[in-house]
Amino acid sequence: MGAKQAKEHHLVPKFWLRAFAEDGHLRQRLRDGREYCTPVKSAAKSPNFNTDPLARGEPRVALETYLADRVDDQAARAMRLIRRGVWPLSADDHDHLVRALGWQLVRTSMFRSWNAQVGARLTPVVYGHQMVVAIQERLGRHLTEDEGVALFWEAYRRAPEPKVFSDPQQHLRAPLQGLAYALDYLTSSGRQLVLLEAARPTLVLGDTGVIIRRTSGTYSIRPPLLPAASEMFAPISPTHLLISTRTPQRYQDGVLTSALAQQANKGAASWCQAAVYRLPSMRWPRYLRLDPQPRRIPAPRIAPARPSTGQDEGPAYRPVLTDPALLRLWQQFGGTPISND
Protein backbone atom coordinates (compact mmCIF):
# COMPACT_ATOMS: atom_id res chain seq x y z
CA MET A 1 0.00 0.00 0.00
CA GLY A 2 1.58 3.27 -1.08
CA ALA A 3 1.12 6.76 0.31
CA LYS A 4 -1.18 7.76 -2.55
CA GLN A 5 -3.41 4.76 -1.85
CA ALA A 6 -3.76 5.49 1.85
CA LYS A 7 -5.21 9.00 1.94
CA GLU A 8 -8.74 7.80 2.70
CA HIS A 9 -8.58 5.81 5.92
CA HIS A 10 -11.49 3.61 6.95
CA LEU A 11 -12.36 3.73 10.64
CA VAL A 12 -14.34 0.52 10.21
CA PRO A 13 -12.61 -1.81 7.71
CA LYS A 14 -14.21 -2.17 4.29
CA PHE A 15 -14.54 -5.95 4.66
CA TRP A 16 -16.68 -5.31 7.75
CA LEU A 17 -18.82 -2.68 6.06
CA ARG A 18 -19.46 -4.94 3.04
CA ALA A 19 -21.37 -7.36 5.26
CA PHE A 20 -23.98 -4.61 5.79
CA ALA A 21 -24.14 -3.66 2.10
CA GLU A 22 -26.19 -4.68 -0.91
CA ASP A 23 -24.88 -4.03 -4.41
CA GLY A 24 -21.91 -2.27 -2.84
CA HIS A 25 -24.04 0.26 -0.90
CA LEU A 26 -25.14 0.73 2.70
CA ARG A 27 -28.03 2.74 4.04
CA GLN A 28 -26.54 5.51 6.19
CA ARG A 29 -28.27 7.60 8.84
CA LEU A 30 -26.40 10.64 10.16
CA ARG A 31 -26.81 12.28 13.54
CA ASP A 32 -28.25 15.36 11.86
CA GLY A 33 -31.18 13.26 10.62
CA ARG A 34 -30.18 12.87 6.98
CA GLU A 35 -30.38 9.38 5.52
CA TYR A 36 -29.22 8.03 2.16
CA CYS A 37 -27.38 5.17 0.49
CA THR A 38 -23.62 5.40 0.32
CA PRO A 39 -21.00 3.15 -1.31
CA VAL A 40 -18.81 1.07 0.95
CA LYS A 41 -15.73 2.98 -0.18
CA SER A 42 -17.23 6.22 1.16
CA ALA A 43 -18.55 4.93 4.50
CA ALA A 44 -16.90 5.32 7.94
CA LYS A 45 -13.75 6.96 6.66
CA SER A 46 -11.67 10.07 7.31
CA PRO A 47 -8.97 11.61 5.07
CA ASN A 48 -5.42 11.06 6.36
CA PHE A 49 -6.75 9.90 9.73
CA ASN A 50 -3.68 7.75 10.45
CA THR A 51 -1.11 9.85 8.59
CA ASP A 52 2.08 10.80 10.44
CA PRO A 53 2.41 14.57 9.86
CA LEU A 54 6.16 14.56 10.61
CA ALA A 55 7.14 11.73 8.25
CA ARG A 56 7.76 11.58 4.51
CA GLY A 57 7.18 8.85 1.96
CA GLU A 58 5.96 5.44 3.08
CA PRO A 59 6.49 6.15 6.81
CA ARG A 60 3.70 8.75 6.57
CA VAL A 61 1.18 5.94 6.24
CA ALA A 62 2.99 3.35 8.36
CA LEU A 63 0.08 2.91 10.78
CA GLU A 64 -2.48 2.59 7.99
CA THR A 65 -0.25 0.07 6.23
CA TYR A 66 0.10 -1.92 9.44
CA LEU A 67 -3.67 -2.01 9.92
CA ALA A 68 -4.28 -3.15 6.35
CA ASP A 69 -1.58 -5.81 6.23
CA ARG A 70 -1.36 -7.07 9.81
CA VAL A 71 -4.89 -6.63 11.15
CA ASP A 72 -7.60 -6.33 8.50
CA ASP A 73 -6.42 -9.04 6.12
CA GLN A 74 -6.39 -11.70 8.85
CA ALA A 75 -9.61 -10.54 10.49
CA ALA A 76 -11.42 -10.55 7.13
CA ARG A 77 -10.70 -14.26 6.78
CA ALA A 78 -11.94 -14.98 10.30
CA MET A 79 -15.20 -13.10 9.78
CA ARG A 80 -15.80 -14.77 6.40
CA LEU A 81 -15.49 -18.15 8.08
CA ILE A 82 -17.99 -17.15 10.76
CA ARG A 83 -20.54 -16.00 8.20
CA ARG A 84 -20.12 -19.34 6.39
CA GLY A 85 -21.05 -21.20 9.56
CA VAL A 86 -17.58 -22.01 10.92
CA TRP A 87 -17.60 -21.70 14.71
CA PRO A 88 -15.60 -22.03 16.85
CA LEU A 89 -12.58 -20.79 14.93
CA SER A 90 -9.09 -22.22 14.89
CA ALA A 91 -6.70 -20.78 17.48
CA ASP A 92 -4.95 -18.60 14.88
CA ASP A 93 -8.18 -17.23 13.40
CA HIS A 94 -9.55 -16.60 16.88
CA ASP A 95 -6.42 -14.64 17.84
CA HIS A 96 -6.63 -12.56 14.65
CA LEU A 97 -10.27 -11.81 15.36
CA VAL A 98 -9.61 -10.75 18.97
CA ARG A 99 -6.77 -8.51 17.79
CA ALA A 100 -9.06 -6.81 15.27
CA LEU A 101 -11.71 -6.26 17.95
CA GLY A 102 -9.09 -4.66 20.19
CA TRP A 103 -8.02 -2.34 17.40
CA GLN A 104 -11.64 -1.39 16.78
CA LEU A 105 -11.74 0.19 20.24
CA VAL A 106 -8.92 2.61 19.38
CA ARG A 107 -8.90 3.28 15.62
CA THR A 108 -12.06 5.41 15.43
CA SER A 109 -13.12 9.05 15.59
CA MET A 110 -14.80 8.32 18.90
CA PHE A 111 -11.53 7.24 20.51
CA ARG A 112 -9.74 10.30 19.14
CA SER A 113 -12.51 12.59 20.38
CA TRP A 114 -12.39 10.90 23.79
CA ASN A 115 -8.64 11.35 23.95
CA ALA A 116 -8.86 15.02 23.00
CA GLN A 117 -11.55 15.64 25.62
CA VAL A 118 -9.46 13.98 28.31
CA GLY A 119 -6.49 16.12 27.31
CA ALA A 120 -8.58 19.27 27.53
CA ARG A 121 -9.90 18.28 30.97
CA LEU A 122 -6.51 17.31 32.36
CA THR A 123 -4.40 20.17 31.00
CA PRO A 124 -5.36 22.70 33.73
CA VAL A 125 -5.05 20.01 36.43
CA VAL A 126 -1.53 19.05 35.34
CA TYR A 127 -0.60 22.72 34.92
CA GLY A 128 -1.81 23.52 38.44
CA HIS A 129 0.16 20.63 39.91
CA GLN A 130 3.32 21.58 38.02
CA MET A 131 3.05 25.17 39.23
CA VAL A 132 2.87 24.00 42.84
CA VAL A 133 5.97 21.83 42.34
CA ALA A 134 7.84 24.65 40.58
CA ILE A 135 7.09 27.20 43.30
CA GLN A 136 8.17 24.79 46.02
CA GLU A 137 11.47 24.20 44.21
CA ARG A 138 11.98 27.95 43.81
CA LEU A 139 11.27 28.62 47.50
CA GLY A 140 13.24 25.63 48.68
CA ARG A 141 10.46 24.47 50.96
CA HIS A 142 7.10 22.70 50.91
CA LEU A 143 4.06 24.93 50.79
CA THR A 144 1.53 24.65 53.55
CA GLU A 145 -1.70 22.92 52.66
CA ASP A 146 -3.57 26.23 52.43
CA GLU A 147 -0.81 27.79 50.29
CA GLY A 148 -0.69 24.76 47.98
CA VAL A 149 -4.45 24.65 47.48
CA ALA A 150 -4.67 28.41 46.81
CA LEU A 151 -1.80 28.28 44.32
CA PHE A 152 -3.21 25.22 42.58
CA TRP A 153 -6.61 26.83 41.99
CA GLU A 154 -5.07 30.08 40.79
CA ALA A 155 -2.89 28.19 38.32
CA TYR A 156 -5.86 26.01 37.33
CA ARG A 157 -7.93 29.06 36.42
CA ARG A 158 -5.07 30.61 34.44
CA ALA A 159 -3.94 27.45 32.64
CA PRO A 160 -3.12 27.90 28.94
CA GLU A 161 -5.32 26.36 26.27
CA PRO A 162 -4.45 22.69 25.59
CA LYS A 163 -3.33 23.58 22.05
CA VAL A 164 -0.34 25.40 23.56
CA PHE A 165 1.02 21.98 24.51
CA SER A 166 -0.09 20.26 21.30
CA ASP A 167 1.93 17.28 20.11
CA PRO A 168 1.46 16.56 16.37
CA GLN A 169 1.99 12.81 16.88
CA GLN A 170 0.13 12.28 20.13
CA HIS A 171 -3.06 11.21 18.31
CA LEU A 172 -1.02 8.37 16.75
CA ARG A 173 0.60 7.23 20.00
CA ALA A 174 -2.68 7.17 21.91
CA PRO A 175 -4.20 4.24 19.94
CA LEU A 176 -1.07 2.17 20.56
CA GLN A 177 -1.34 2.80 24.30
CA GLY A 178 -5.07 2.10 24.21
CA LEU A 179 -4.55 -1.09 22.22
CA ALA A 180 -2.41 -2.60 24.97
CA TYR A 181 -5.27 -2.10 27.45
CA ALA A 182 -7.91 -3.28 24.96
CA LEU A 183 -6.09 -6.55 24.27
CA ASP A 184 -5.47 -7.05 27.99
CA TYR A 185 -9.23 -6.66 28.51
CA LEU A 186 -10.21 -9.05 25.70
CA THR A 187 -7.73 -11.76 26.68
CA SER A 188 -8.21 -11.62 30.44
CA SER A 189 -8.83 -14.84 32.35
CA GLY A 190 -12.39 -16.13 32.09
CA ARG A 191 -13.39 -13.92 29.16
CA GLN A 192 -14.74 -15.69 26.09
CA LEU A 193 -16.13 -14.82 22.68
CA VAL A 194 -19.63 -16.14 21.98
CA LEU A 195 -21.48 -15.98 18.68
CA LEU A 196 -25.20 -15.31 18.37
CA GLU A 197 -27.15 -15.62 15.13
CA ALA A 198 -30.56 -14.39 14.02
CA ALA A 199 -32.78 -15.85 11.31
CA ARG A 200 -33.24 -12.48 9.59
CA PRO A 201 -31.33 -9.18 9.35
CA THR A 202 -31.77 -7.28 12.59
CA LEU A 203 -28.47 -5.53 13.44
CA VAL A 204 -27.14 -2.09 12.49
CA LEU A 205 -23.47 -1.05 12.50
CA GLY A 206 -22.14 2.14 14.05
CA ASP A 207 -19.02 3.95 12.84
CA THR A 208 -17.14 2.51 15.83
CA GLY A 209 -17.83 -1.11 14.87
CA VAL A 210 -17.91 -2.33 18.49
CA ILE A 211 -19.67 -1.26 21.67
CA ILE A 212 -18.83 -1.61 25.37
CA ARG A 213 -21.87 -2.35 27.53
CA ARG A 214 -21.73 -2.08 31.31
CA THR A 215 -23.52 -4.50 33.61
CA SER A 216 -25.95 -1.67 34.39
CA GLY A 217 -27.11 -1.79 30.77
CA THR A 218 -25.55 1.57 29.90
CA TYR A 219 -22.92 2.11 27.22
CA SER A 220 -19.53 3.36 28.27
CA ILE A 221 -18.13 6.23 26.18
CA ARG A 222 -14.69 5.84 27.70
CA PRO A 223 -12.99 3.24 25.47
CA PRO A 224 -9.76 2.80 27.49
CA LEU A 225 -11.68 2.36 30.74
CA LEU A 226 -12.92 -1.19 30.48
CA PRO A 227 -14.57 -2.65 33.60
CA ALA A 228 -13.85 -6.35 33.92
CA ALA A 229 -17.55 -7.24 34.11
CA SER A 230 -18.55 -5.22 31.04
CA GLU A 231 -19.22 -6.85 27.68
CA MET A 232 -18.13 -5.99 24.15
CA PHE A 233 -20.79 -6.25 21.45
CA ALA A 234 -19.53 -6.59 17.86
CA PRO A 235 -22.15 -6.86 15.10
CA ILE A 236 -20.19 -8.47 12.26
CA SER A 237 -23.18 -8.86 9.94
CA PRO A 238 -26.88 -8.01 10.09
CA THR A 239 -27.48 -11.51 11.50
CA HIS A 240 -24.29 -12.22 13.50
CA LEU A 241 -23.36 -10.71 16.85
CA LEU A 242 -20.11 -11.45 18.67
CA ILE A 243 -20.05 -10.85 22.42
CA SER A 244 -16.92 -10.83 24.56
CA THR A 245 -18.11 -11.79 28.03
CA ARG A 246 -17.16 -13.40 31.33
CA THR A 247 -20.58 -15.06 31.55
CA PRO A 248 -20.83 -17.10 28.32
CA GLN A 249 -23.42 -19.41 29.87
CA ARG A 250 -25.99 -16.63 29.40
CA TYR A 251 -25.75 -17.11 25.63
CA GLN A 252 -25.27 -20.85 25.35
CA ASP A 253 -28.20 -21.33 22.94
CA GLY A 254 -26.47 -19.14 20.33
CA VAL A 255 -29.69 -17.33 19.43
CA LEU A 256 -29.70 -13.60 18.75
CA THR A 257 -33.00 -12.58 20.25
CA SER A 258 -34.82 -9.37 19.40
CA ALA A 259 -34.03 -8.09 22.91
CA LEU A 260 -30.28 -8.62 22.45
CA ALA A 261 -30.39 -7.11 18.97
CA GLN A 262 -32.13 -4.08 20.44
CA GLN A 263 -29.38 -3.74 23.05
CA ALA A 264 -26.66 -3.95 20.39
CA ASN A 265 -28.42 -1.43 18.14
CA LYS A 266 -28.93 1.05 20.95
CA GLY A 267 -25.25 0.72 21.76
CA ALA A 268 -24.32 1.44 18.15
CA ALA A 269 -26.49 4.57 18.20
CA SER A 270 -25.02 5.65 21.54
CA TRP A 271 -21.40 5.12 20.54
CA CYS A 272 -21.41 6.34 16.94
CA GLN A 273 -19.63 9.58 16.24
CA ALA A 274 -21.41 10.55 13.02
CA ALA A 275 -23.41 7.72 11.44
CA VAL A 276 -25.05 4.32 11.74
CA TYR A 277 -25.33 1.88 8.81
CA ARG A 278 -27.74 -0.89 7.83
CA LEU A 279 -28.67 -3.05 4.88
CA PRO A 280 -30.63 -0.97 2.34
CA SER A 281 -33.42 -3.57 2.37
CA MET A 282 -33.63 -3.62 6.17
CA ARG A 283 -36.09 -1.31 7.88
CA TRP A 284 -34.75 1.19 10.39
CA PRO A 285 -35.65 -0.03 13.92
CA ARG A 286 -38.53 2.10 15.14
CA TYR A 287 -37.16 2.23 18.70
CA LEU A 288 -33.77 3.57 17.60
CA ARG A 289 -32.99 7.28 17.98
CA LEU A 290 -29.81 9.21 17.25
CA ASP A 291 -29.07 12.26 19.36
CA PRO A 292 -28.10 15.33 17.30
CA GLN A 293 -24.58 15.37 18.79
CA PRO A 294 -22.22 12.65 20.04
CA ARG A 295 -21.95 12.25 23.77
CA ARG A 296 -19.37 14.27 25.63
CA ILE A 297 -17.31 13.24 28.62
CA PRO A 298 -18.57 15.07 31.72
CA ALA A 299 -16.22 17.43 33.51
CA PRO A 300 -14.44 15.75 36.41
CA ARG A 301 -15.01 16.79 40.00
CA ILE A 302 -11.78 18.22 41.36
CA ALA A 303 -11.17 18.65 45.07
CA PRO A 304 -7.97 19.13 47.08
CA ALA A 305 -6.70 16.05 48.87
CA ARG A 306 -3.65 15.12 50.85
CA PRO A 307 -1.07 13.37 48.67
CA SER A 308 -0.78 9.63 49.06
CA THR A 309 2.17 8.38 51.07
CA GLY A 310 2.58 5.46 48.69
CA GLN A 311 2.54 2.99 51.57
CA ASP A 312 0.89 -0.37 50.91
CA GLU A 313 0.45 0.59 47.26
CA GLY A 314 1.94 -1.63 44.59
CA PRO A 315 3.18 -0.31 41.24
CA ALA A 316 0.50 0.70 38.76
CA TYR A 317 -0.14 -2.06 36.23
CA ARG A 318 0.43 -1.19 32.59
CA PRO A 319 0.04 -3.80 29.86
CA VAL A 320 2.98 -4.03 27.48
CA LEU A 321 3.12 -3.91 23.71
CA THR A 322 5.35 -6.73 22.49
CA ASP A 323 4.78 -6.67 18.73
CA PRO A 324 8.11 -5.43 17.22
CA ALA A 325 6.26 -3.69 14.38
CA LEU A 326 4.10 -1.76 16.84
CA LEU A 327 7.11 -0.86 18.95
CA ARG A 328 8.76 0.59 15.84
CA LEU A 329 5.63 2.64 15.18
CA TRP A 330 5.62 3.80 18.79
CA GLN A 331 9.18 5.07 18.43
CA GLN A 332 8.42 6.67 15.06
CA PHE A 333 5.58 8.55 16.71
CA GLY A 334 7.91 9.97 19.35
CA GLY A 335 7.23 7.55 22.19
CA THR A 336 9.50 5.60 24.49
CA PRO A 337 9.01 1.83 24.87
CA ILE A 338 6.03 0.91 27.05
CA SER A 339 6.85 -1.37 29.95
CA ASN A 340 5.84 -2.22 33.49
CA ASP A 341 9.15 -0.90 34.88
Side-chain angles (χ1 to χ4, degrees), residues 33-335:
R34 291 177 294 159
E35 184 172 326
Y36 50 84
C37 282
T38 186
V40 168
K41 66 180 182 181
S42 300
K45 71 175 185 179
S46 181
N48 292 309
F49 191 79
N50 294 316
T51 297
D52 183 352
L54 301 186
R56 295 291 180 268
E58 287 296 319
R60 280 180 61 81
V61 292
L63 178 55
E64 183 69 9
T65 300
Y66 178 92
L67 289 171
D69 297 344
R70 304 286 294 275
V71 179
D72 295 349
D73 282 354
Q74 291 89 338
R77 166 188 157 81
M79 289 196 187
R80 283 196 301 269
L81 289 172
I82 292 173
R83 296 178 193 125
R84 292 172 186 168
V86 178
W87 186 263
L89 298 172
S90 69
D92 284 347
D93 286 325
H94 179 273
D95 289 348
H96 292 150
L97 179 61
V98 168
R99 187 174 184 81
L101 295 177
W103 268 107
Q104 207 54 49
L105 281 168
V106 299
R107 66 186 288 180
T108 64
S109 292
M110 179 183 175
F111 179 85
R112 186 166 296 183
S113 172
W114 183 93
N115 197 57
Q117 291 177 61
V118 169
R121 301 294 194 193
L122 289 183
T123 292
V125 177
V126 173
Y127 182 77
H129 170 71
Q130 291 177 338
M131 287 298 296
V132 170
V133 172
I135 293 300
Q136 289 183 147
E137 290 178 349
R138 185 179 303 174
L139 296 176
R141 67 174 179 86
H142 286 287
L143 298 175
T144 67
E145 185 172 338
D146 289 343
E147 289 174 332
V149 169
L151 176 59
F152 171 85
W153 283 117
E154 181 65 19
Y156 179 89
R157 287 189 290 268
R158 296 175 178 269
E161 291 292 323
K163 63 184 179 182
V164 172
F165 307 103
S166 63
D167 178 342
Q169 293 175 303
Q170 196 278 336
H171 68 285
L172 298 174
R173 291 197 305 275
L176 301 186
Q177 290 175 306
L179 176 67
Y181 286 93
L183 293 179
D184 189 65
Y185 166 78
L186 290 171
T187 59
S188 62
S189 177
R191 184 168 290 276
Q192 295 183 33
L193 272 182
V194 296
L195 175 67
L196 305 182
E197 186 172 359
R200 60 181 180 83
T202 186
L203 295 171
V204 302
L205 178 69
D207 57 16
T208 60
V210 299
I211 307 128
I212 296 295
R213 185 176 184 273
R214 301 187 188 96
T215 53
S216 64
T218 58
Y219 302 94
S220 169
I221 61 166
R222 299 167 173 82
L225 305 181
L226 302 166
S230 66
E231 296 181 326
M232 173 191 279
F233 282 22
I236 63 170
S237 86
T239 56
H240 293 84
L241 179 67
L242 283 172
I243 302 179
S244 174
T245 180
R246 297 178 67 184
T247 56
Q249 62 275 11
R250 295 174 56 196
Y251 310 107
Q252 58 185 350
D253 60 3
V255 176
L256 176 58
T257 64
S258 59
L260 278 172
Q262 183 170 326
Q263 291 176 22
N265 290 341
K266 286 184 176 180
S270 174
W271 260 44
C272 82
Q273 193 71 14
V276 171
Y277 305 94
R278 73 178 191 276
L279 280 176
S281 62
M282 177 182 153
R283 298 179 65 180
W284 177 259
R286 298 178 66 178
Y287 58 79
L288 204 54
R289 299 288 184 271
L290 290 180
D291 294 332
Q293 298 294 329
R295 292 188 181 182
R296 303 283 295 178
I297 294 175
R301 294 182 178 180
I302 302 172
R306 293 183 181 277
S308 170
T309 62
Q311 296 178 354
D312 300 324
E313 293 181 6
Y317 171 69
R318 298 180 66 191
V320 180
L321 286 175
T322 57
D323 183 339
L326 287 179
L327 292 175
R328 287 193 294 271
L329 286 174
W330 174 257
Q331 292 174 339
Q332 175 184 322
F333 301 152

